[in-house]
Amino acid sequence: MERTYEELKNQMAMIDEFIETAYEGMAIVDEKGYITKFKYEKLLGIKEKDVLGKHVTEVLENTRLDIILKTGKSEIGDIQVMNGKEMITSRIPIHRDGKVIGAVGTVLFKDVSEVKYMADYIENIKTQMKDYKQEIKRLNQAKYSFENIITQNQQMQGLIKIAKRAAETHSTVCITGESGTGKEYFAHSIHKASPRRYGPFVRINCAAIPKDLLESELFGYAPGAFTGASNSGKIGKFELASGGTIFLDEIGSMPLEMQSKLLRVLEEREFERIGSNQKVDVDVRIISATNEELRALVEKEKFREDLYYRLEVVAIKIPPLRHRKEDIPLLVKSMLNVMSATYEAPIKHFTDEALLKLQDHNWPGNVRELRNVVESAMNMAQTTEIGLSELPEHIQQIPIVTLHDDESGMVQEDSESIQTGLKYEASSLNLKSNMEELEKALILEALARANGSKTTAAKYMGIHRTALYKKMTKLGMDV
Ligand SMILES: Nc1ncnc2c1ncn2[C@@H]1O[C@H](COP(=O)(O)OP(=O)(O)OP(=O)(O)O)[C@@H](O)[C@H]1O
Ligand SMILES: [Mg+2]
């Protein structure tokens, strides 16, 4: 008995302590409305001992505890004026065996303005969250769609078809092509045409991120995962892209060690943030891009073969601009339209002569280079007509002959000869008798544009570096 009594006393003390700290004010009444517990000293200056046994209506201003006893219904979050202040109170009846045996009244906030302050504060945080979410969404959105890919080239149209079909599936897509051919355009377009288009499109440039940071960029880290890690941890691109697409740009530059980790994640379809053991599901479509030949990197053991097969389920190889010169007039027109709209300038157009000249250039920088040339020419032109003189010097001076790589678009490794072909009948050169002079001129031009680099010059000319050396020696040029 004594022990039970002690225990009960302890429990009562604990409840008292709890009531004191949990509420600003609190009263309990019996089934008739007489006060049995009263904790209002701090709030109203009334001591418990002075009011115990008194009827609640005599003690508490505007109380409704007497009414609660009759209705048996709670009143939560009501406003009650006491001492001239609006307080937020709750009243709860106590039931036992289906009968009301008392009621509890509590003060949750001693001033309505406190609640207003808290509500404003929460509202503020909610707005901020919304803003951040929108910003994250804006930053991680695909900007281009297939309509933005301007082409009348058959091979390109075939690629767009393949890409559109791939977009409907979850297959990983690998886009290859020289710099400036439009790999990023394809990646955006695939996302936009996919069922994941309402999800995020998150790009990460594997070449631009230092090796040591790549893993945390991709997979994030837990709070305090390593020295210097932020307290709140960091979300990785894979998590950010959840429900959408992740675009791994310049995948060829990914360090081997990271390739292994990526492969494991792709196989297991889940990963952990660095320093955490909580699994995160991978719900992303993967698109990768590179301007290096992945196959060649595999052979040089710079790229994991198993990862290569995983990434290249659908392969899209974009041909360089010099293999689809028929696109140049179309691209130029669309670029001029877009630019004049952006700068709110009148629409300009190239003269036929200037357009032909553009088609004679080899475009090592592909569509990006073309866009730069078009933009500078448009700015240079004084009238709405853009002529030869507005083109950059090196393009103006190209002889009216074009170089071809072989049909497949591959540079022939041991090609001995430059394949030259007359593009326009207007040529004033007699090719047969002036072949050597022409080759010399072309080599000099290529070298000048490549800033003297023979490797690059050979690339421009579509021949192997050793073939260029041989040719130059044969022509009596300084090697
Ligand atoms: N088919 C196209 N139609 C219209 N514009 C294009 C097309 N392809 C490329 N462009 C233009 O060329 C620029 C370069 O394209 P993009 O950034 O997609 O190239 P990339 O292949 O990703 O190059 P890099 O390997 O250097 O990253 C784009 O900003 C765009 O202006
Ligand atoms: Mg790119």
Side-chain angles (χ1 to χ4, degrees), residues 14-23 26 28 37 39:
M14 279 199 299
I15 291 172
D16 257 14
E17 179 70 25
F18 166 73
I19 290 170
E20 200 81 54
T21 46
Y23 299 105
M26 190 270 197
I28 301 179
K37 204 148 223 15
K39 299 283 176 194

Side-chain angles (χ1 to χ4, degrees), residues 144 147-151 156 160 175-188 203 205 247 249-250 289-291 318 324 327 331 334-335 365-369 371:
Y144 318 107
E147 294 94 77
N148 298 114
I149 302 180
I150 312 287
T151 185
M156 281 289 282
I160 291 175
I175 307 165
T176 54
E178 290 178 13
S179 180
T181 44
K183 296 184 291 296
E184 186 146 355
Y185 267 44
F186 265 84
H188 284 246
R203 170 176 180 256
N205 186 337
F247 175 40
D249 207 357
E250 316 257 10
T290 166
N291 52 27
I318 308 179
R324 46 180 168 110
D327 280 349
L331 281 165
S334 134
M335 286 166 178
N366 294 294
V367 190
R368 182 180 292 118
E369 183 188 0
R371 200 192 55 192

Side-chain angles (χ1 to χ4, degrees), residues 430-465:
N430 179 327
L431 283 181
K432 278 202 178 96
S433 56
N434 293 299
M435 194 53 114
E436 279 208 346
E437 276 317 301
L438 181 61
E439 284 186 339
K440 253 191 202 172
L442 288 172
I443 291 171
L444 286 173
E445 168 72 17
L447 280 169
R449 261 188 275 157
N451 289 326
S453 155
K454 296 200 182 61
T455 314
T456 315
K459 218 165 130 192
Y460 288 174
M461 301 181 78
I463 59 173
H464 194 258
R465 191 165 39 93

Side-chain angles (χ1 to χ4, degrees), residues 54-69:
K54 284 193 176 167
H55 200 264
V56 70
T57 48
E58 292 167 31
V59 179
L60 278 180
E61 215 180 326
N62 295 315
T63 185
R64 285 174 53 83
L65 282 180
D66 52 326
I67 295 167
I68 293 290
L69 291 171

Side-chain angles (χ1 to χ4, degrees), residues 337-469:
N337 281 340
V338 173
M339 285 169 199
S340 65
T342 322
Y343 302 139
E344 293 179 12
I347 295 184
K348 299 185 179 180
H349 60 270
F350 280 82
T351 61
D352 289 348
E353 196 185 18
L355 258 186
L356 286 178
K357 207 63 181 176
L358 288 180
Q359 297 192 59
D360 279 331
H361 183 46
N362 238 21
W363 303 107
N366 294 294
V367 190
R368 182 180 292 118
E369 183 188 0
L370 178 65
R371 200 192 55 192
N372 293 342
V373 167
V374 170
E375 184 162 0
S376 89
M378 177 179 132
N379 292 333
M380 296 258 292
Q382 303 288 330
T383 63
T384 53
E385 199 158 80
I386 310 171
L388 266 187
S389 57
E390 269 87 48
L391 297 180
E393 203 82 346
H394 71 274
I395 293 181
Q396 279 186 43
Q397 283 166 7
I398 304 170
I400 321 168
V401 167
T402 50
L403 286 178
H404 294 284
D405 295 350
D406 71 335
E407 285 302 295
S408 69
M410 298 293 291
V411 173
Q412 278 180 358
E413 286 291 298
D414 51 5
S415 164
E416 268 288 310
S417 65
I418 304 173
Q419 299 174 28
T420 52
L422 261 185
K423 184 98 191 192
Y424 309 111
E425 292 179 356
S427 175
S428 56
L429 293 165
N430 179 327
L431 283 181
K432 278 202 178 96
S433 56
N434 293 299
M435 194 53 114
E436 279 208 346
E437 276 317 301
L438 181 61
E439 284 186 339
K440 253 191 202 172
L442 288 172
I443 291 171
L444 286 173
E445 168 72 17
L447 280 169
R449 261 188 275 157
N451 289 326
S453 155
K454 296 200 182 61
T455 314
T456 315
K459 218 165 130 192
Y460 288 174
M461 301 181 78
I463 59 173
H464 194 258
R465 191 165 39 93
T466 49
L468 176 62
Y469 278 117

